[in-house]
Structure formats: C-alpha cells, structure tokens
Amino acid sequence: MSVTRVSTTPTWLLGRANARAQTLLAAAFEPFGLRPLQYRALAALEEHGELSQAELGRRLTMDRKDVSVAIDHLGERRLVQRRADPTDRRRAIVALTSEGRALLPRLHAALDAAQDAVVAPLTAREAADLTKLLAKLGIGAGEPGDTAG
C-alpha cells in the first residue's frame, strides 16, 4: 500500500526512478566485472588522457579513497596503469592501458543499452524531454564529474 502524500512527490518519484536506473546500470557492467564508478574512471581517462589520481577524483567528484580503490581494481585488471609523476614523485599519474582502450567500446555499448532500458517505457520524444528536464534540474549539469554511470 502506498502513501499518496509521499508517492506522488517529485523527490519520491526521482528516487524510485534513480534506484531503477542504478540497478540497470550496475547490471550492464556486471558481465565485465566492473562497477559504474570504475567505468566512469575509464571514460574520463579516455576523454582527458592521463591524469593525476587527484585530478581524476576532482573530475569525477569522487572521494580520494574511492578513486584509489577504483584505480587499484582497474590496475589489477590491467585496464589502467599508475606511475609516479616524474615532476612530483608524491603524485600518481593514471593512464589507460591498451587493454583498457580495447575494452571501452564494449563498455560504451553496455552503457548505451542501459540508457535505452532506463527510458524504454517512454516514447522517443518523452525520453528527449526527460533528459532535458533532468539536465535542468541537475545543478551543475555538464560539469566535470557529471558523466554517466
């Protein structure tokens, strides 16, 4: 039984839609042994080239520890390489490996399929309108770190 006062509010509906979207997104990356956050890191490195680990975290608006854990996992999978910055040995530089670059097209396709599944109940026009409305609601939409996943 739902509570009408709550279940018809934008915050409740957005939360429910987000939960569904996150479930679909996680399922899309699960066959690759990755999480959406790890995909975001790979996509950022593809788009911006090698970055310091701190800059990667800023671009993804991720906590320093979360970035480190994600990079550790991606490094174990040989999808990224971490090395000391030659100008500041305290700073780590992260770059895609050839394996990481080779995997990205399949990951992009998985992301696209998840996006299609999220908007499947909508017409193409409704999906486009929803995207515009969500961008309008999202303070800072289009800022670094607002990548999918």
mmCIF file of all heavy atoms in Angstrom, residues 71-120:
data_model
loop_
_atom_site.group_PDB
_atom_site.id
_atom_site.type_symbol
_atom_site.label_atom_id
_atom_site.label_comp_id
_atom_site.label_asym_id
_atom_site.label_seq_id
_atom_site.Cartn_x
_atom_site.Cartn_y
_atom_site.Cartn_z
ATOM 1 N N ILE A 71 40.953 2.688 -8.894
ATOM 2 C CA ILE A 71 42.186 2.571 -9.683
ATOM 3 C C ILE A 71 42.919 1.288 -9.330
ATOM 4 O O ILE A 71 43.488 0.630 -10.207
ATOM 5 C CB ILE A 71 43.077 3.822 -9.497
ATOM 6 C CG1 ILE A 71 42.361 5.063 -10.028
ATOM 7 C CG2 ILE A 71 44.432 3.645 -10.174
ATOM 8 C CD1 ILE A 71 41.883 4.977 -11.455
ATOM 9 N N ASP A 72 42.904 0.899 -8.062
ATOM 10 C CA ASP A 72 43.513 -0.382 -7.672
ATOM 11 C C ASP A 72 42.857 -1.530 -8.442
ATOM 12 O O ASP A 72 43.544 -2.387 -9.007
ATOM 13 C CB ASP A 72 43.368 -0.632 -6.162
ATOM 14 C CG ASP A 72 44.290 0.214 -5.312
ATOM 15 O OD1 ASP A 72 45.228 0.824 -5.861
ATOM 16 O OD2 ASP A 72 44.052 0.280 -4.084
ATOM 17 N N HIS A 73 41.520 -1.542 -8.461
ATOM 18 C CA HIS A 73 40.795 -2.614 -9.160
ATOM 19 C C HIS A 73 41.102 -2.589 -10.659
ATOM 20 O O HIS A 73 41.380 -3.638 -11.257
ATOM 21 C CB HIS A 73 39.291 -2.471 -8.926
ATOM 22 C CG HIS A 73 38.481 -3.502 -9.651
ATOM 23 N ND1 HIS A 73 38.340 -4.790 -9.181
ATOM 24 C CD2 HIS A 73 37.795 -3.451 -10.821
ATOM 25 C CE1 HIS A 73 37.600 -5.486 -10.028
ATOM 26 N NE2 HIS A 73 37.246 -4.694 -11.026
ATOM 27 N N LEU A 74 41.058 -1.412 -11.241
ATOM 28 C CA LEU A 74 41.332 -1.306 -12.681
ATOM 29 C C LEU A 74 42.775 -1.666 -12.996
ATOM 30 O O LEU A 74 43.057 -2.248 -14.052
ATOM 31 C CB LEU A 74 41.001 0.106 -13.169
ATOM 32 C CG LEU A 74 39.521 0.490 -13.089
ATOM 33 C CD1 LEU A 74 39.340 1.971 -13.371
ATOM 34 C CD2 LEU A 74 38.686 -0.355 -14.042
ATOM 35 N N GLY A 75 43.687 -1.353 -12.089
ATOM 36 C CA GLY A 75 45.091 -1.728 -12.271
ATOM 37 C C GLY A 75 45.289 -3.234 -12.196
ATOM 38 O O GLY A 75 46.044 -3.811 -12.996
ATOM 39 N N GLU A 76 44.608 -3.880 -11.238
ATOM 40 C CA GLU A 76 44.680 -5.347 -11.139
ATOM 41 C C GLU A 76 44.167 -6.005 -12.408
ATOM 42 O O GLU A 76 44.645 -7.069 -12.805
ATOM 43 C CB GLU A 76 43.868 -5.830 -9.934
ATOM 44 C CG GLU A 76 44.487 -5.489 -8.600
ATOM 45 C CD GLU A 76 43.545 -5.719 -7.433
ATOM 46 O OE1 GLU A 76 42.442 -6.289 -7.627
ATOM 47 O OE2 GLU A 76 43.908 -5.307 -6.311
ATOM 48 N N ARG A 77 43.187 -5.377 -13.045
ATOM 49 C CA ARG A 77 42.628 -5.892 -14.302
ATOM 50 C C ARG A 77 43.465 -5.491 -15.508
ATOM 51 O O ARG A 77 43.146 -5.821 -16.642
ATOM 52 C CB ARG A 77 41.196 -5.362 -14.483
ATOM 53 C CG ARG A 77 40.203 -5.777 -13.414
ATOM 54 C CD ARG A 77 39.584 -7.124 -13.695
ATOM 55 N NE ARG A 77 39.103 -7.259 -15.041
ATOM 56 C CZ ARG A 77 37.906 -6.871 -15.490
ATOM 57 N NH1 ARG A 77 37.038 -6.321 -14.656
ATOM 58 N NH2 ARG A 77 37.568 -7.041 -16.740
ATOM 59 N N ARG A 78 44.524 -4.711 -15.273
ATOM 60 C CA ARG A 78 45.420 -4.211 -16.326
ATOM 61 C C ARG A 78 44.695 -3.291 -17.318
ATOM 62 O O ARG A 78 45.045 -3.247 -18.498
ATOM 63 C CB ARG A 78 46.116 -5.353 -17.041
ATOM 64 C CG ARG A 78 47.049 -6.127 -16.132
ATOM 65 C CD ARG A 78 47.896 -7.111 -16.913
ATOM 66 N NE ARG A 78 48.853 -7.719 -16.027
ATOM 67 C CZ ARG A 78 48.848 -8.999 -15.714
ATOM 68 N NH1 ARG A 78 47.933 -9.796 -16.211
ATOM 69 N NH2 ARG A 78 49.760 -9.480 -14.907
ATOM 70 N N LEU A 79 43.688 -2.574 -16.826
ATOM 71 C CA LEU A 79 42.941 -1.636 -17.661
ATOM 72 C C LEU A 79 43.518 -0.228 -17.555
ATOM 73 O O LEU A 79 43.334 0.591 -18.458
ATOM 74 C CB LEU A 79 41.459 -1.640 -17.286
ATOM 75 C CG LEU A 79 40.768 -3.007 -17.420
ATOM 76 C CD1 LEU A 79 39.340 -2.936 -16.907
ATOM 77 C CD2 LEU A 79 40.809 -3.491 -18.865
ATOM 78 N N VAL A 80 44.199 0.038 -16.442
ATOM 79 C CA VAL A 80 44.904 1.302 -16.255
ATOM 80 C C VAL A 80 46.277 1.009 -15.685
ATOM 81 O O VAL A 80 46.532 -0.077 -15.151
ATOM 82 C CB VAL A 80 44.158 2.286 -15.311
ATOM 83 C CG1 VAL A 80 42.787 2.645 -15.846
ATOM 84 C CG2 VAL A 80 44.093 1.769 -13.893
ATOM 85 N N GLN A 81 47.127 2.015 -15.810
ATOM 86 C CA GLN A 81 48.470 1.925 -15.255
ATOM 87 C C GLN A 81 48.686 3.144 -14.374
ATOM 88 O O GLN A 81 48.335 4.264 -14.770
ATOM 89 C CB GLN A 81 49.494 1.900 -16.385
ATOM 90 C CG GLN A 81 50.914 1.876 -15.943
ATOM 91 C CD GLN A 81 51.869 1.896 -17.137
ATOM 92 O OE1 GLN A 81 51.453 1.788 -18.280
ATOM 93 N NE2 GLN A 81 53.142 2.054 -16.861
ATOM 94 N N ARG A 82 49.222 2.925 -13.212
ATOM 95 C CA ARG A 82 49.530 4.016 -12.274
ATOM 96 C C ARG A 82 51.053 4.108 -12.181
ATOM 97 O O ARG A 82 51.730 3.098 -12.051
ATOM 98 C CB ARG A 82 48.925 3.689 -10.915
ATOM 99 C CG ARG A 82 49.093 4.789 -9.899
ATOM 100 C CD ARG A 82 48.663 4.347 -8.524
ATOM 101 N NE ARG A 82 47.228 4.154 -8.444
ATOM 102 C CZ ARG A 82 46.643 3.399 -7.530
ATOM 103 N NH1 ARG A 82 47.349 2.745 -6.641
ATOM 104 N NH2 ARG A 82 45.351 3.277 -7.489
ATOM 105 N N ARG A 83 51.559 5.351 -12.260
ATOM 106 C CA ARG A 83 53.002 5.561 -12.121
ATOM 107 C C ARG A 83 53.237 6.868 -11.387
ATOM 108 O O ARG A 83 52.356 7.725 -11.336
ATOM 109 C CB ARG A 83 53.687 5.576 -13.482
ATOM 110 C CG ARG A 83 53.229 6.681 -14.394
ATOM 111 C CD ARG A 83 53.987 6.694 -15.727
ATOM 112 N NE ARG A 83 53.359 7.549 -16.700
ATOM 113 C CZ ARG A 83 53.387 8.883 -16.686
ATOM 114 N NH1 ARG A 83 54.035 9.504 -15.739
ATOM 115 N NH2 ARG A 83 52.780 9.587 -17.613
ATOM 116 N N ALA A 84 54.418 7.011 -10.834
ATOM 117 C CA ALA A 84 54.761 8.249 -10.130
ATOM 118 C C ALA A 84 54.963 9.369 -11.153
ATOM 119 O O ALA A 84 55.513 9.150 -12.241
ATOM 120 C CB ALA A 84 56.028 8.054 -9.314
ATOM 121 N N ASP A 85 54.515 10.558 -10.814
ATOM 122 C CA ASP A 85 54.725 11.741 -11.644
ATOM 123 C C ASP A 85 56.211 12.087 -11.584
ATOM 124 O O ASP A 85 56.759 12.256 -10.497
ATOM 125 C CB ASP A 85 53.879 12.891 -11.098
ATOM 126 C CG ASP A 85 53.958 14.150 -11.939
ATOM 127 O OD1 ASP A 85 54.960 14.354 -12.644
ATOM 128 O OD2 ASP A 85 53.010 14.944 -11.882
ATOM 129 N N PRO A 86 56.887 12.187 -12.733
ATOM 130 C CA PRO A 86 58.329 12.476 -12.701
ATOM 131 C C PRO A 86 58.657 13.853 -12.116
ATOM 132 O O PRO A 86 59.758 14.057 -11.604
ATOM 133 C CB PRO A 86 58.755 12.387 -14.172
ATOM 134 C CG PRO A 86 57.504 12.416 -14.965
ATOM 135 C CD PRO A 86 56.384 11.996 -14.077
ATOM 136 N N THR A 87 57.703 14.778 -12.129
ATOM 137 C CA THR A 87 57.953 16.117 -11.575
ATOM 138 C C THR A 87 57.593 16.213 -10.094
ATOM 139 O O THR A 87 58.021 17.148 -9.426
ATOM 140 C CB THR A 87 57.168 17.198 -12.352
ATOM 141 O OG1 THR A 87 55.774 16.942 -12.216
ATOM 142 C CG2 THR A 87 57.555 17.196 -13.822
ATOM 143 N N ASP A 88 56.803 15.271 -9.594
ATOM 144 C CA ASP A 88 56.414 15.256 -8.188
ATOM 145 C C ASP A 88 56.131 13.814 -7.812
ATOM 146 O O ASP A 88 55.035 13.314 -7.995
ATOM 147 C CB ASP A 88 55.176 16.135 -7.958
ATOM 148 C CG ASP A 88 54.763 16.197 -6.489
ATOM 149 O OD1 ASP A 88 55.323 15.442 -5.661
ATOM 150 O OD2 ASP A 88 53.869 17.000 -6.179
ATOM 151 N N ARG A 89 57.124 13.131 -7.271
ATOM 152 C CA ARG A 89 57.031 11.697 -7.011
ATOM 153 C C ARG A 89 55.945 11.346 -5.994
ATOM 154 O O ARG A 89 55.579 10.190 -5.856
ATOM 155 C CB ARG A 89 58.380 11.155 -6.559
ATOM 156 C CG ARG A 89 59.443 11.559 -7.558
ATOM 157 C CD ARG A 89 60.352 10.682 -8.196
ATOM 158 N NE ARG A 89 60.540 9.334 -8.333
ATOM 159 C CZ ARG A 89 60.184 8.622 -9.395
ATOM 160 N NH1 ARG A 89 59.467 9.150 -10.337
ATOM 161 N NH2 ARG A 89 60.528 7.379 -9.505
ATOM 162 N N ARG A 90 55.408 12.342 -5.288
ATOM 163 C CA ARG A 90 54.323 12.071 -4.341
ATOM 164 C C ARG A 90 52.996 11.913 -5.073
ATOM 165 O O ARG A 90 52.039 11.398 -4.518
ATOM 166 C CB ARG A 90 54.193 13.205 -3.326
ATOM 167 C CG ARG A 90 55.413 13.356 -2.428
ATOM 168 C CD ARG A 90 55.343 14.628 -1.643
ATOM 169 N NE ARG A 90 55.363 15.746 -2.598
ATOM 170 C CZ ARG A 90 55.154 17.012 -2.305
ATOM 171 N NH1 ARG A 90 54.882 17.351 -1.075
ATOM 172 N NH2 ARG A 90 55.206 17.946 -3.215
ATOM 173 N N ARG A 91 52.946 12.352 -6.314
ATOM 174 C CA ARG A 91 51.702 12.339 -7.080
ATOM 175 C C ARG A 91 51.693 11.155 -8.040
ATOM 176 O O ARG A 91 52.684 10.871 -8.703
ATOM 177 C CB ARG A 91 51.600 13.649 -7.857
ATOM 178 C CG ARG A 91 50.279 13.866 -8.506
ATOM 179 C CD ARG A 91 50.103 15.291 -8.950
ATOM 180 N NE ARG A 91 50.960 15.591 -10.090
ATOM 181 C CZ ARG A 91 50.848 16.675 -10.827
ATOM 182 N NH1 ARG A 91 49.940 17.573 -10.551
ATOM 183 N NH2 ARG A 91 51.653 16.865 -11.839
ATOM 184 N N ALA A 92 50.539 10.470 -8.119
ATOM 185 C CA ALA A 92 50.380 9.331 -9.021
ATOM 186 C C ALA A 92 49.678 9.781 -10.297
ATOM 187 O O ALA A 92 48.707 10.530 -10.249
ATOM 188 C CB ALA A 92 49.570 8.231 -8.348
ATOM 189 N N ILE A 93 50.194 9.318 -11.417
ATOM 190 C CA ILE A 93 49.590 9.571 -12.726
ATOM 191 C C ILE A 93 48.910 8.279 -13.160
ATOM 192 O O ILE A 93 49.474 7.188 -13.036
ATOM 193 C CB ILE A 93 50.654 9.970 -13.774
ATOM 194 C CG1 ILE A 93 51.386 11.238 -13.341
ATOM 195 C CG2 ILE A 93 50.032 10.119 -15.158
ATOM 196 C CD1 ILE A 93 50.533 12.481 -13.330
ATOM 197 N N VAL A 94 47.687 8.404 -13.677
ATOM 198 C CA VAL A 94 46.913 7.244 -14.114
ATOM 199 C C VAL A 94 46.664 7.372 -15.612
ATOM 200 O O VAL A 94 46.301 8.447 -16.100
ATOM 201 C CB VAL A 94 45.567 7.150 -13.362
ATOM 202 C CG1 VAL A 94 44.790 5.919 -13.788
ATOM 203 C CG2 VAL A 94 45.792 7.160 -11.857
ATOM 204 N N ALA A 95 46.874 6.270 -16.332
ATOM 205 C CA ALA A 95 46.655 6.257 -17.780
ATOM 206 C C ALA A 95 45.998 4.942 -18.183
ATOM 207 O O ALA A 95 46.168 3.919 -17.519
ATOM 208 C CB ALA A 95 47.986 6.406 -18.515
ATOM 209 N N LEU A 96 45.230 5.006 -19.254
ATOM 210 C CA LEU A 96 44.649 3.780 -19.822
ATOM 211 C C LEU A 96 45.755 2.906 -20.388
ATOM 212 O O LEU A 96 46.735 3.407 -20.941
ATOM 213 C CB LEU A 96 43.697 4.125 -20.965
ATOM 214 C CG LEU A 96 42.328 4.663 -20.611
ATOM 215 C CD1 LEU A 96 41.601 5.116 -21.876
ATOM 216 C CD2 LEU A 96 41.509 3.623 -19.884
ATOM 217 N N THR A 97 45.570 1.614 -20.299
ATOM 218 C CA THR A 97 46.453 0.668 -20.983
ATOM 219 C C THR A 97 45.807 0.308 -22.321
ATOM 220 O O THR A 97 44.653 0.658 -22.581
ATOM 221 C CB THR A 97 46.625 -0.617 -20.149
ATOM 222 O OG1 THR A 97 45.346 -1.248 -20.037
ATOM 223 C CG2 THR A 97 47.221 -0.332 -18.785
ATOM 224 N N SER A 98 46.524 -0.428 -23.131
ATOM 225 C CA SER A 98 45.942 -0.875 -24.398
ATOM 226 C C SER A 98 44.738 -1.779 -24.137
ATOM 227 O O SER A 98 43.745 -1.729 -24.868
ATOM 228 C CB SER A 98 46.982 -1.584 -25.269
ATOM 229 O OG SER A 98 47.544 -2.677 -24.576
ATOM 230 N N GLU A 99 44.791 -2.582 -23.061
ATOM 231 C CA GLU A 99 43.648 -3.431 -22.705
ATOM 232 C C GLU A 99 42.436 -2.582 -22.323
ATOM 233 O O GLU A 99 41.302 -2.894 -22.686
ATOM 234 C CB GLU A 99 44.000 -4.382 -21.557
ATOM 235 C CG GLU A 99 45.013 -5.445 -21.907
ATOM 236 C CD GLU A 99 46.459 -5.019 -21.603
ATOM 237 O OE1 GLU A 99 46.738 -3.800 -21.511
ATOM 238 O OE2 GLU A 99 47.302 -5.909 -21.457
ATOM 239 N N GLY A 100 42.676 -1.504 -21.591
ATOM 240 C CA GLY A 100 41.599 -0.600 -21.210
ATOM 241 C C GLY A 100 40.971 0.067 -22.420
ATOM 242 O O GLY A 100 39.742 0.139 -22.541
ATOM 243 N N ARG A 101 41.815 0.539 -23.336
ATOM 244 C CA ARG A 101 41.294 1.157 -24.575
ATOM 245 C C ARG A 101 40.494 0.150 -25.401
ATOM 246 O O ARG A 101 39.461 0.501 -25.970
ATOM 247 C CB ARG A 101 42.440 1.692 -25.421
ATOM 248 C CG ARG A 101 43.005 2.967 -24.913
ATOM 249 C CD ARG A 101 43.921 3.648 -25.925
ATOM 250 N NE ARG A 101 44.643 4.705 -25.285
ATOM 251 C CZ ARG A 101 44.125 5.852 -24.891
ATOM 252 N NH1 ARG A 101 42.859 6.080 -25.092
ATOM 253 N NH2 ARG A 101 44.851 6.762 -24.300
ATOM 254 N N ALA A 102 40.965 -1.073 -25.460
ATOM 255 C CA ALA A 102 40.279 -2.098 -26.250
ATOM 256 C C ALA A 102 38.917 -2.458 -25.661
ATOM 257 O O ALA A 102 37.987 -2.795 -26.403
ATOM 258 C CB ALA A 102 41.154 -3.349 -26.358
ATOM 259 N N LEU A 103 38.785 -2.393 -24.344
ATOM 260 C CA LEU A 103 37.531 -2.750 -23.687
ATOM 261 C C LEU A 103 36.488 -1.631 -23.773
ATOM 262 O O LEU A 103 35.284 -1.897 -23.774
ATOM 263 C CB LEU A 103 37.789 -3.105 -22.218
ATOM 264 C CG LEU A 103 36.588 -3.542 -21.394
ATOM 265 C CD1 LEU A 103 35.925 -4.787 -21.993
ATOM 266 C CD2 LEU A 103 37.007 -3.781 -19.948
ATOM 267 N N LEU A 104 36.925 -0.391 -23.876
ATOM 268 C CA LEU A 104 35.996 0.733 -23.812
ATOM 269 C C LEU A 104 34.851 0.695 -24.822
ATOM 270 O O LEU A 104 33.716 1.001 -24.435
ATOM 271 C CB LEU A 104 36.753 2.059 -23.895
ATOM 272 C CG LEU A 104 37.217 2.546 -22.524
ATOM 273 C CD1 LEU A 104 38.279 3.619 -22.662
ATOM 274 C CD2 LEU A 104 36.054 3.046 -21.700
ATOM 275 N N PRO A 105 35.044 0.326 -26.080
ATOM 276 C CA PRO A 105 33.878 0.280 -26.982
ATOM 277 C C PRO A 105 32.772 -0.654 -26.490
ATOM 278 O O PRO A 105 31.582 -0.341 -26.609
ATOM 279 C CB PRO A 105 34.469 -0.193 -28.314
ATOM 280 C CG PRO A 105 35.897 0.247 -28.266
ATOM 281 C CD PRO A 105 36.294 0.094 -26.810
ATOM 282 N N ARG A 106 33.143 -1.781 -25.906
ATOM 283 C CA ARG A 106 32.134 -2.702 -25.361
ATOM 284 C C ARG A 106 31.455 -2.107 -24.136
ATOM 285 O O ARG A 106 30.258 -2.289 -23.927
ATOM 286 C CB ARG A 106 32.785 -4.048 -25.038
ATOM 287 C CG ARG A 106 33.228 -4.768 -26.314
ATOM 288 C CD ARG A 106 34.000 -6.046 -26.085
ATOM 289 N NE ARG A 106 33.398 -6.944 -25.127
ATOM 290 C CZ ARG A 106 34.093 -7.741 -24.320
ATOM 291 N NH1 ARG A 106 35.410 -7.769 -24.365
ATOM 292 N NH2 ARG A 106 33.485 -8.543 -23.482
ATOM 293 N N LEU A 107 32.211 -1.385 -23.328
ATOM 294 C CA LEU A 107 31.635 -0.727 -22.158
ATOM 295 C C LEU A 107 30.694 0.405 -22.572
ATOM 296 O O LEU A 107 29.624 0.582 -21.975
ATOM 297 C CB LEU A 107 32.733 -0.188 -21.237
ATOM 298 C CG LEU A 107 33.639 -1.236 -20.593
ATOM 299 C CD1 LEU A 107 34.768 -0.561 -19.824
ATOM 300 C CD2 LEU A 107 32.842 -2.168 -19.696
ATOM 301 N N HIS A 108 31.084 1.156 -23.599
ATOM 302 C CA HIS A 108 30.207 2.214 -24.108
ATOM 303 C C HIS A 108 28.894 1.616 -24.613
ATOM 304 O O HIS A 108 27.821 2.174 -24.380
ATOM 305 C CB HIS A 108 30.877 3.000 -25.231
ATOM 306 C CG HIS A 108 32.097 3.775 -24.826
ATOM 307 N ND1 HIS A 108 32.262 4.350 -23.586
ATOM 308 C CD2 HIS A 108 33.215 4.079 -25.527
ATOM 309 C CE1 HIS A 108 33.429 4.970 -23.537
ATOM 310 N NE2 HIS A 108 34.025 4.826 -24.701
ATOM 311 N N ALA A 109 28.983 0.487 -25.296
ATOM 312 C CA ALA A 109 27.775 -0.185 -25.795
ATOM 313 C C ALA A 109 26.901 -0.647 -24.627
ATOM 314 O O ALA A 109 25.669 -0.542 -24.689
ATOM 315 C CB ALA A 109 28.145 -1.361 -26.697
ATOM 316 N N ALA A 110 27.524 -1.141 -23.561
ATOM 317 C CA ALA A 110 26.765 -1.555 -22.371
ATOM 318 C C ALA A 110 26.070 -0.353 -21.740
ATOM 319 O O ALA A 110 24.908 -0.444 -21.325
ATOM 320 C CB ALA A 110 27.692 -2.240 -21.363
ATOM 321 N N LEU A 111 26.763 0.771 -21.685
ATOM 322 C CA LEU A 111 26.153 1.992 -21.156
ATOM 323 C C LEU A 111 24.959 2.409 -22.014
ATOM 324 O O LEU A 111 23.891 2.730 -21.486
ATOM 325 C CB LEU A 111 27.170 3.128 -21.101
ATOM 326 C CG LEU A 111 26.611 4.487 -20.689
ATOM 327 C CD1 LEU A 111 26.142 4.477 -19.248
ATOM 328 C CD2 LEU A 111 27.639 5.568 -20.933
ATOM 329 N N ASP A 112 25.141 2.395 -23.321
ATOM 330 C CA ASP A 112 24.050 2.776 -24.224
ATOM 331 C C ASP A 112 22.840 1.859 -24.041
ATOM 332 O O ASP A 112 21.697 2.321 -24.021
ATOM 333 C CB ASP A 112 24.520 2.740 -25.679
ATOM 334 C CG ASP A 112 25.544 3.817 -25.995
ATOM 335 O OD1 ASP A 112 25.696 4.781 -25.212
ATOM 336 O OD2 ASP A 112 26.219 3.683 -27.045
ATOM 337 N N ALA A 113 23.096 0.560 -23.897
ATOM 338 C CA ALA A 113 21.993 -0.388 -23.696
ATOM 339 C C ALA A 113 21.274 -0.110 -22.374
ATOM 340 O O ALA A 113 20.040 -0.186 -22.306
ATOM 341 C CB ALA A 113 22.515 -1.821 -23.731
ATOM 342 N N ALA A 114 22.035 0.231 -21.336
ATOM 343 C CA ALA A 114 21.409 0.554 -20.050
ATOM 344 C C ALA A 114 20.556 1.822 -20.171
ATOM 345 O O ALA A 114 19.454 1.877 -19.622
ATOM 346 C CB ALA A 114 22.477 0.732 -18.973
ATOM 347 N N GLN A 115 21.064 2.812 -20.907
ATOM 348 C CA GLN A 115 20.289 4.041 -21.090
ATOM 349 C C GLN A 115 18.988 3.738 -21.830
ATOM 350 O O GLN A 115 17.920 4.260 -21.484
ATOM 351 C CB GLN A 115 21.094 5.094 -21.865
ATOM 352 C CG GLN A 115 22.404 5.484 -21.228
ATOM 353 C CD GLN A 115 22.289 5.860 -19.766
ATOM 354 O OE1 GLN A 115 21.514 6.742 -19.394
ATOM 355 N NE2 GLN A 115 23.051 5.188 -18.927
ATOM 356 N N ASP A 116 19.077 2.901 -22.850
ATOM 357 C CA ASP A 116 17.874 2.515 -23.598
ATOM 358 C C ASP A 116 16.874 1.805 -22.690
ATOM 359 O O ASP A 116 15.663 2.040 -22.779
ATOM 360 C CB ASP A 116 18.230 1.617 -24.782
ATOM 361 C CG ASP A 116 18.972 2.352 -25.887
ATOM 362 O OD1 ASP A 116 18.966 3.605 -25.900
ATOM 363 O OD2 ASP A 116 19.564 1.664 -26.741
ATOM 364 N N ALA A 117 17.371 0.944 -21.802
ATOM 365 C CA ALA A 117 16.486 0.224 -20.891
ATOM 366 C C ALA A 117 15.824 1.178 -19.897
ATOM 367 O O ALA A 117 14.642 1.020 -19.562
ATOM 368 C CB ALA A 117 17.266 -0.865 -20.145
ATOM 369 N N VAL A 118 16.559 2.180 -19.447
ATOM 370 C CA VAL A 118 16.008 3.146 -18.498
ATOM 371 C C VAL A 118 14.823 3.882 -19.104
ATOM 372 O O VAL A 118 13.794 4.074 -18.458
ATOM 373 C CB VAL A 118 17.095 4.142 -18.025
ATOM 374 C CG1 VAL A 118 16.482 5.339 -17.309
ATOM 375 C CG2 VAL A 118 18.109 3.448 -17.127
ATOM 376 N N VAL A 119 14.951 4.288 -20.359
ATOM 377 C CA VAL A 119 13.883 5.088 -20.988
ATOM 378 C C VAL A 119 12.929 4.241 -21.826
ATOM 379 O O VAL A 119 12.047 4.786 -22.494
ATOM 380 C CB VAL A 119 14.463 6.252 -21.833
ATOM 381 C CG1 VAL A 119 15.246 7.213 -20.947
ATOM 382 C CG2 VAL A 119 15.302 5.746 -22.988
ATOM 383 N N ALA A 120 13.050 2.934 -21.767
ATOM 384 C CA ALA A 120 12.205 2.050 -22.575
ATOM 385 C C ALA A 120 10.705 2.296 -22.409
ATOM 386 O O ALA A 120 9.970 2.205 -23.395
ATOM 387 C CB ALA A 120 12.539 0.579 -22.291
#
